[in-house]
Amino acid sequence: MSTIFNAAPTLCKIGDNLTEYLDELIEKSKSLGRNLYSSVSYKTTFSDPLALLEKLNLSNQPHCYFEKATDDFSIACGEYLAHQEFSGPDRFQLAKSWSTELLKFVEQAGDTPVAGSGPTLFLTASFESGSPGQSPSSLSVFLPKWQVVHHGGEHVITLNTQISPNSHADAIQQDLNNRLNSMMGLKHEKISEQLLQPTHLGKSKENFVYEEGVNQALEEINSGKVSKIVLARQLTFDLHSTLSPFVIAHALRAKYPDCHAFSLSLPDQGTWVGASPETLARIRGLSLRTEALAGSAPRGPSAGKDAQWGKTILAREKEVREHKLVIESIHRRLSSVGVTSLHEGLPRLLRLANLQHVRTPVQGKLPDGLHPFEVLSALHPTPAMGGTPRPPALTKLAEIEKAPRGLYSGVAGWMDSRGRAEFIVPIRCGRIQEHALTLYAGAGIVDGSIPRNEKHETDWKLQAMLEVITGSPNLPE
């Protein structure tokens, strides 16, 4: 005869005693003969996820942080509770299978009204798919030990714990209390009082000569093999002082509220920090939202000049062609996995502090049963990051760039147990390692591209990171 377990608490308040519920989970673990995971969510008063992450972060431990100030949304998490890595062309499919199986054994307690609360998996994937068994792997997906999410006036802390047949409810309850007390004691802390002092950077080393690379890409385009190739620069500087990704992220979220400020750390791989203007996929129920982002111009010194440059990228043949390629590819790729009712909005300007881009929102309806990771597999890499047609563009790109991009222009984001998900493309960013800083910037090369102009575009895109790190938007001489 099977054991009947009571329902999980639907509302958990800080200070609640959950030992009776935890005892039931331990009994369930015994009856199944395997480990389970408890995910307890607590509504709380104001908390800043980035401030909490800065205070709770442990050296060389994984973390993820995302914030879009104009959406009044931020989320942060830290430390692996359950974790798996994959590489190869089917990495998103493998991650889907692992995640689906894991979530079957996660027991949820507490209210989860906010997307990103309750059991939530965080994913990072490099631009390159890599090959099976490679190290480091090209995709990492994990259930964190803790996460905190803020949206509008709601704030939720989620604590995840492994439950084994040998667990003790009192010990788990004490651990929950200790972790909550630690987090609540920090909730009113501000981001580090350490000011972001300008950091001196010497001359950088680049992965290839950019204008020569653009000429190589144009030869491939003129041969008819591809219609677009995106080439990215990697500029690596020696570091002689410590850079805090959290202080950089704080500066970026204030200066670029229309972007996704982010910080992504993987053990022994450093930390990527930046402010990306590009949403790859936002999923709520069966509703999918993505976007085409292509075409760039600087901001003007006056309202008139600003409007003139904005009008130029909305109408100039090169930008129109580049934007059309991205939209057509998005429609084709999403249709191939069964997404229907695809339609795009009108192109509009996304005006940032230092740049303006052409952005076209694209919406669609997901078929029942299509997993968010399958959407990522269809979309990544978009023509805005790789080129089109995809296979020959990626082959030529790798040949020219000479060095793997890592998380730059890859995928990063989260998916909760209710299927709510949001993923970004990590661009406009830098990678901080112990003694090195690498900054990244790319541009789309199409018929009509001028090598000098494309390099200038990448210089504009480097300004965001350069200014918050060095105090100047210009590259060191």
Side-chain angles (χ1 to χ4, degrees), residues 68-91:
K68 189 173 183 184
T70 52
D71 289 348
D72 201 12
F73 176 88
S74 57
I75 188 170
C77 75
E79 302 176 67
Y80 293 145
L81 182 62
H83 165 240
Q84 192 56 264
E85 297 182 350
F86 304 98
S87 292
D90 57 351
R91 57 182 174 157

Side-chain angles (χ1 to χ4, degrees), residues 13-52:
K13 300 188 297 295
I14 293 170
D16 282 355
N17 188 330
L18 302 177
T19 52
E20 186 176 336
Y21 166 67
L22 294 169
D23 270 326
E24 290 202 348
L25 291 189
I26 294 168
E27 288 303 313
K28 186 173 182 179
S29 175
K30 290 177 181 177
S31 71
L32 293 173
R34 62 155 294 148
N35 292 337
L36 303 175
Y37 299 94
S38 163
S39 183
V40 184
S41 295
Y42 303 86
K43 283 189 176 181
T44 182
T45 52
F46 174 78
S47 59
D48 180 348
L50 181 57
L52 279 171

Side-chain angles (χ1 to χ4, degrees), residues 17-160:
N17 188 330
L18 302 177
T19 52
E20 186 176 336
Y21 166 67
L22 294 169
D23 270 326
E24 290 202 348
L25 291 189
I26 294 168
E27 288 303 313
K28 186 173 182 179
S29 175
K30 290 177 181 177
S31 71
L32 293 173
R34 62 155 294 148
N35 292 337
L36 303 175
Y37 299 94
S38 163
S39 183
V40 184
S41 295
Y42 303 86
K43 283 189 176 181
T44 182
T45 52
F46 174 78
S47 59
D48 180 348
L50 181 57
L52 279 171
L53 174 59
E54 182 183 35
K55 298 298 183 182
L56 295 172
N57 184 64
L58 300 174
S59 177
N60 205 34
Q61 286 291 330
H63 73 247
C64 290
Y65 155 76
F66 305 96
E67 177 164 356
K68 189 173 183 184
T70 52
D71 289 348
D72 201 12
F73 176 88
S74 57
I75 188 170
C77 75
E79 302 176 67
Y80 293 145
L81 182 62
H83 165 240
Q84 192 56 264
E85 297 182 350
F86 304 98
S87 292
D90 57 351
R91 57 182 174 157
F92 288 104
Q93 194 66 37
L94 292 169
K96 169 202 165 183
S97 300
W98 181 84
S99 301
T100 301
E101 186 66 16
L102 175 74
L103 289 173
K104 291 177 184 177
F105 299 99
V106 178
E107 301 287 340
Q108 177 182 321
D111 192 16
T112 58
V114 180
S117 60
T120 301
L121 299 174
F122 291 79
L123 178 144
T124 57
S126 62
F127 176 78
E128 298 84 10
S129 61
S131 54
Q134 74 173 40
S135 181
S137 299
S138 68
L139 183 152
S140 173
V141 58
F142 70 99
L143 178 71
K145 288 187 177 180
W146 65 268
Q147 75 209 46
V148 58
V149 61
H150 151 82
H151 187 209
E154 296 192 278
H155 309 262
V156 180
I157 290 172
T158 299
L159 300 180
N160 301 313

Side-chain angles (χ1 to χ4, degrees), residues 426-442:
I427 55 175
R428 313 292 158 82
C429 65
R431 179 187 185 185
I432 301 171
Q433 295 173 283
E434 188 174 1
H435 300 297
L437 167 70
T438 302
L439 300 181
Y440 303 83

Side-chain angles (χ1 to χ4, degrees), residues 285-397:
L286 296 180
S287 174
L288 166 68
R289 190 182 77 198
T290 184
E291 62 191 11
L293 192 72
S296 305
R299 297 302 303 269
S302 65
K305 196 66 176 176
D306 200 49
Q308 179 187 339
W309 286 347
K311 185 177 180 181
T312 296
I313 59 172
L314 281 169
R316 190 165 54 197
E317 183 181 356
K318 183 258 182 186
E319 272 75 17
V320 170
R321 185 185 307 115
E322 183 179 354
H323 204 67
K324 182 181 178 183
L325 288 172
V326 175
I327 292 172
E328 289 175 348
S329 176
I330 288 172
H331 276 259
R332 186 169 61 252
R333 294 179 186 184
L334 290 177
S335 295
S336 73
V337 292
V339 178
T340 58
S341 303
L342 282 164
H343 63 278
E344 70 245 23
L346 293 174
R348 72 281 311 266
L349 290 175
L350 171 64
R351 284 184 158 136
L352 307 177
N354 65 325
L355 283 174
Q356 45 192 327
H357 304 286
V358 181
R359 167 188 272 173
T360 300
V362 178
Q363 294 184 318
K365 182 181 178 182
L366 301 178
D368 286 329
L370 187 68
H371 194 277
F373 293 175
E374 293 174 298
V375 175
L376 301 182
S377 182
L379 286 174
H380 174 76
T382 70
M385 295 299 119
T388 189
R390 187 190 285 183
L394 295 184
T395 298
K396 192 64 180 180
L397 174 159

Side-chain angles (χ1 to χ4, degrees), residues 2 7 21 24 43 81 88 102-103 150 152 197 207 234-235 241 249 263 273 278 388 438 449 456 475:
S2 61
Y21 166 67
E24 290 202 348
K43 283 189 176 181
L81 182 62
L102 175 74
L103 289 173
H150 151 82
Q197 299 294 336
N207 51 327
Q234 299 181 33
L235 294 83
S241 58
S263 180
V273 59
E278 185 154 358
T388 189
T438 302
S449 289
H456 285 162
L475 280 166

